[in-house]
Amino acid sequence: MGLTSSGQQGPRVYRVSELTGEIQSLLESRFDFIWLEAEISNFSAPASGHYYMILKDERAQIRGVMFRPQARCLKFVPENGMKILAQGRIGVYAPRGEYQLLLDYLEPLGVGALALAFEQLKRKLAAEGLFDTALKRPLPFLPQRVALVTSPTGAAVRDFLKIIHRRFANLEVVVVPSRVQGVEALPDLQAALEAADRYVRPDVIVIARGGGSLEDLWPFNQEELARAIRRSSVPVVSAVGHETDWTIADMAADVRAPTPSAAAEILVKEKEELARRLGDWRQRLLRSIGYLLDMQEARLKALQRSVAAPARLVEGWWLRLDDLQGRLVRRMKVRLEEDDRRLRSESRSLRFYAPAARIERDRQQLVFARANLVSQTERRLESLRYALDLVQGRLRDLSPMAALQRGYSITFRLPEESVLRDAADIEEGESIRILLGAGSLEARVEKAESDPATRK
């Protein structure tokens, strides 16, 4: 209870900021350092580098934030659904009156942070194709110079050189020193790789280190080192740890060797083995040459036998030459005669079918045809004219007017002007018209006498 403005005892009245400040002070003093087991949801990582998430269990949830300085120290990236063990402090964000957990450390439950980070980085680089088989470059056969990136005092360099000297002592090995453990190892390894590639100009680079814990090998599980390996202009062999140790560097390298000693064995063949193979090849080559020499000698002897009697060969060639010459002359003579006959025939044809003569001949034929056509046409016209005269004469003879001219007449019954052929067809007193050779008469019938003998 507090005092009111009138000095009387009453309830205390807070401003919002005052109340929030007291809550903040109370929470931050009460929960200064806590551990929390929860599941992550609504995780986000904006460009600021801070991590925001919801930490929840089956019945409650609380906001959590990990600021960039703490987030950079995490070996893995939190994911939604991940079970984690978190360490942090309760903080109050006064502008919104929200309380949240300010995270200092996260650890995945069920799997170690490094193992989780390794799996996350492996999935990421694999998705980018950094481990694709198509990117792997073959190692040169019997390289002349090898750059070995490793600690110069470690066991790896001794094992590697021991194997090299035993198998092929004349191979040049340039050791490029680098730290292979600790926080400084990663930049050291990157710089050593670039220096080896640029200045040593080797045929192949070997990056090696002996065995150790996952923490010891952690510089070889870094994204920057994997990308530096892929940037190398020459093939890179990764020989880190023991047989069971797999690192990101092993996956990014062109060849993975289980140990530094194995890397040396992979790089160079055993000299004795090479010498034995060379010896075998030499014996095979000598046998092949001997066989070819025997074949050539046999062929030479056969040729010598075939030329044992050169005079007989020459005589045979002369006889064959004479025979061929005679056949050639006869064939040429026949051919010339055939050509001569063909030439004369074609000359006659040419003269006969010469254009000028043919035109003159066609012109004469045309003149003759024209005269013949005119003559035939005139005769035809004369014949037609004669036939026409005959027809005209017959027509004149058959014309009724010719009969009238000879004194005959034609009688028409009036008024219908029908030809009157029988006296029985008219009555006395009817009018008639009589057509004469020149002019006509109209008359009246006085008497009509029909002659039955003349009726048809």
Side-chain angles (χ1 to χ4, degrees):
M1 300 292 287
L3 295 177
T4 63
S5 58
S6 60
Q8 297 178 347
Q9 192 76 16
R12 179 181 178 181
V13 178
Y14 289 94
R15 293 172 59 85
V16 175
S17 57
E18 291 175 343
L19 178 59
T20 303
E22 289 195 13
I23 293 174
Q24 182 177 13
S25 176
L26 179 63
L27 290 177
E28 291 181 356
S29 61
R30 170 66 178 83
F31 301 100
D32 183 34
F33 183 81
I34 62 171
W35 287 91
L36 181 69
E37 180 179 338
E39 178 183 331
I40 294 176
S41 67
N42 293 342
F43 174 79
S44 65
S48 61
H50 308 323
Y51 290 165
Y52 296 95
M53 64 198 79
I54 297 293
L55 303 174
K56 65 179 184 179
D57 58 15
E58 294 80 3
R59 291 179 294 181
Q61 65 180 26
I62 182 174
R63 291 184 179 275
V65 56
M66 176 175 277
F67 296 110
R68 183 168 62 180
Q70 289 80 14
R72 292 178 61 181
C73 296
L74 277 186
K75 300 296 185 184
F76 64 97
V77 178
E79 296 176 351
N80 288 327
M82 182 183 291
K83 300 281 189 180
I84 51 94
L85 183 63
Q87 181 268 316
R89 297 167 287 112
I90 293 292
V92 175
Y93 185 54
R96 287 206 296 265
E98 295 178 350
Y99 73 94
Q100 57 190 354
L101 188 60
L102 306 179
L103 299 167
D104 295 324
Y105 176 76
L106 290 178
E107 180 178 320
L109 291 176
V111 60
L114 292 182
L116 179 61
F118 175 83
E119 290 299 326
Q120 288 181 335
L121 180 59
K122 185 173 72 171
R123 288 200 302 269
K124 174 186 176 183
L125 297 182
E128 293 180 11
L130 202 72
F131 305 149
D132 286 353
T133 305
L135 298 178
K136 307 297 184 185
R137 294 164 290 191
L139 297 180
F141 180 73
L142 284 184
Q144 299 300 305
R145 178 181 294 173
V146 175
L148 176 60
V149 176
T150 188
S151 170
T153 59
V157 66
R158 292 194 300 271
D159 295 342
F160 185 87
L161 294 177
K162 179 180 178 182
I163 297 297
I164 290 292
H165 291 155
R166 178 171 60 81
R167 294 173 69 91
F168 220 116
N170 51 351
L171 175 65
E172 181 182 4
V173 178
V174 179
V175 178
V176 182
S178 170
R179 279 174 283 195
V180 294
Q181 183 174 336
V183 294
E184 301 296 334
L186 176 60
D188 259 23
L189 288 169
Q190 288 181 265
L193 271 175
E194 294 176 359
D197 189 21
R198 180 175 301 178
Y199 303 112
V200 179
R201 299 183 182 279
D203 299 318
V204 61
I205 296 175
V206 178
I207 180 169
R209 194 216 122 94
S213 65
L214 183 58
E215 289 77 7
D216 294 338
L217 302 180
W218 196 245
F220 296 90
N221 286 321
Q222 299 298 313
E223 179 178 352
E224 294 83 353
L225 182 60
R227 298 192 185 281
I229 289 173
R230 294 312 321 165
R231 283 197 301 269
S232 171
S233 63
V234 297
V236 176
V237 177
S238 175
V240 179
H242 299 302
E243 175 69 34
T244 56
D245 297 327
W246 273 88
T247 65
I248 295 296
D250 292 334
M251 301 174 194
D254 297 284
V255 175
R256 184 250 177 183
T259 63
S261 300
E265 294 176 352
I266 292 173
L267 279 179
V268 293
K269 309 298 180 186
E270 196 168 5
K271 189 173 183 179
E272 289 74 10
E273 173 63 17
L274 290 176
R276 185 188 62 76
R277 292 171 61 182
L278 286 175
D280 291 343
W281 292 343
R282 180 175 180 275
Q283 292 300 321
R284 293 180 185 179
L285 183 61
L286 289 176
R287 285 196 295 271
S288 298
I289 292 174
Y291 175 75
L292 289 176
L293 289 176
D294 293 341
M295 292 287 292
Q296 295 298 328
E297 183 179 3
R299 184 179 179 186
L300 178 61
K301 290 180 179 178
L303 291 173
Q304 288 175 343
R305 287 193 297 271
S306 65
V307 298
R312 287 199 298 273
L313 288 176
V314 172
E315 289 173 359
W317 290 342
W318 276 116
L319 290 173
R320 180 168 177 77
L321 180 61
D322 289 342
D323 178 59
L324 292 175
Q325 184 178 10
R327 293 168 63 182
L328 179 62
V329 169
R330 288 192 297 275
R331 181 163 296 182
M332 289 181 64
K333 184 177 179 181
V334 171
R335 181 67 179 270
L336 287 174
E337 291 175 353
E338 291 176 353
D339 291 345
D340 184 61
R341 284 196 299 274
R342 188 181 301 109
L343 180 61
R344 288 198 298 272
S345 174
E346 291 179 352
S347 298
R348 286 194 299 272
S349 298
L350 183 60
R351 286 195 299 273
F352 180 76
Y353 291 107
R358 186 165 186 173
I359 291 172
E360 179 61 23
R361 186 166 59 255
D362 292 344
R363 191 184 66 77
Q364 291 176 0
Q365 291 178 355
L366 180 62
V367 171
F368 175 76
R370 180 180 180 184
N372 186 30
L373 178 62
V374 170
S375 174
Q376 290 183 2
T377 303
E378 289 176 348
R379 285 198 299 273
R380 180 63 177 166
L381 289 175
E382 185 63 26
S383 174
L384 293 175
R385 192 177 296 113
Y386 176 73
L388 180 61
D389 292 342
L390 289 177
V391 171
Q392 287 178 343
R394 291 188 64 184
L395 288 176
R396 280 194 300 273
D397 293 341
L398 295 176
S399 172
M401 296 306 296
L404 294 177
Q405 290 297 330
R406 290 198 297 271
Y408 296 95
S409 63
I410 300 174
T411 303
F412 298 92
R413 184 178 181 179
L414 296 179
E416 62 268 23
E417 291 285 347
S418 60
V419 176
L420 189 61
R421 293 184 176 83
D422 192 345
D425 295 335
I426 194 165
E427 301 292 336
E428 292 178 359
E430 289 183 318
S431 297
I432 60 174
R433 188 166 64 87
I434 302 170
L435 183 61
L436 304 176
S440 62
L441 298 173
E442 286 192 4
R444 189 177 303 277
V445 178
E446 294 290 339
K447 183 178 181 182
E449 293 182 355
S450 177
D451 187 2
T454 60
R455 291 181 182 172
K456 293 184 180 178

